[in-house]
Amino acid sequence: MKSPLLIGTHLPEISKTSLEILKNQELLAINQDPIVGTSVAPFRWGINPNWVSNETHPAQYWSGESENGTVVMLLNTLNKPADMFFNLTESPWLRAGRKYSVRDLWAHTDNGTAIRNFTATRVPAHGVVALLLKDAGDEPEGLEPPCVWTEWCMDRNGTLIG
C-alpha cells in the first residue's frame, strides 16, 4: 500500500459530501495501489515563471505511477479560479510521442485524449483536479509545432529539436 488512510473526523457526524469524498473508489485505488508503491510527487512548483517553489504558492502539479496509469493532481493554490496547463512530458511518468486517455477521478468520467499537453479550465480557488492518464498509443503523425515549448523540445532519440 502507498500510505495509510487516516480520517480525522467524528464519523457519526460526517457530512454526506465528506463521506462521498472518503468513499471515492477511484481515489482509494490510487492510494492503496498494491503494485506501484511510489507516492505522487510534484513535477512543477509554485506560480513563478521558472516554476521554482516559494512560501506562498507550493507545488501545484503532481504526478505518480499506478497500476492503472499515471495519476496527475493539479492543486489551484490561488484565491480565484484558474486555468492550469502543463506539457505532458513534464511528468516523469509520461512519454513524448504518445497520446493518453484522460479520466476525471472526481466526476468518474472519461474525457477524451491528451496529446502533448493538457489544460484544466477554471479550476476553482483551492480546488483539486484528479486525473488518471492511460497510454492510448502513438500520437498522430505530422502535428505542428513539434513541441509546446521549443526549449524543451526533444526528438524520440533524445536530441534537442531546435
Side-chain angles (χ1 to χ4, degrees), residues 54-76:
N54 63 44
E55 293 176 4
T56 60
H57 296 283
Q60 292 182 284
Y61 297 81
W62 298 67
S63 68
E65 289 182 290
S66 83
E67 70 175 329
N68 297 313
T70 299
V71 178
V72 175
M73 301 282 187
L74 309 174
L75 286 67
N76 180 2

Side-chain angles (χ1 to χ4, degrees), residues 43 86-97 116-117 152:
F43 65 87
F86 69 96
N87 182 340
L88 296 181
T89 58
E90 288 180 75
S91 164
W93 313 114
L94 300 171
R95 295 184 5 234
R116 296 188 180 169
N117 58 64
W152 293 5

Side-chain angles (χ1 to χ4, degrees), residues 17-29:
T17 302
S18 294
L19 188 57
E20 286 176 12
I21 291 169
L22 292 172
K23 291 172 63 177
N24 183 322
Q25 291 297 310
E26 291 184 87
L27 290 174
L28 288 171

Side-chain angles (χ1 to χ4, degrees), residues 118-155:
F118 181 84
T119 301
T121 57
R122 302 217 26 92
V123 178
H126 305 285
V128 177
V129 173
L131 306 170
L132 182 66
L133 277 64
K134 292 183 182 182
D135 192 304
D138 291 333
E139 71 178 30
E141 291 291 328
L143 291 180
E144 292 296 331
C147 296
V148 176
W149 292 308
T150 53
E151 63 272 16
W152 293 5
C153 195
M154 294 291 200
D155 197 339

Side-chain angles (χ1 to χ4, degrees), residues 106-120:
W106 289 117
H108 309 291
T109 57
D110 294 321
N111 296 353
T113 57
I115 300 170
R116 296 188 180 169
N117 58 64
F118 181 84
T119 301

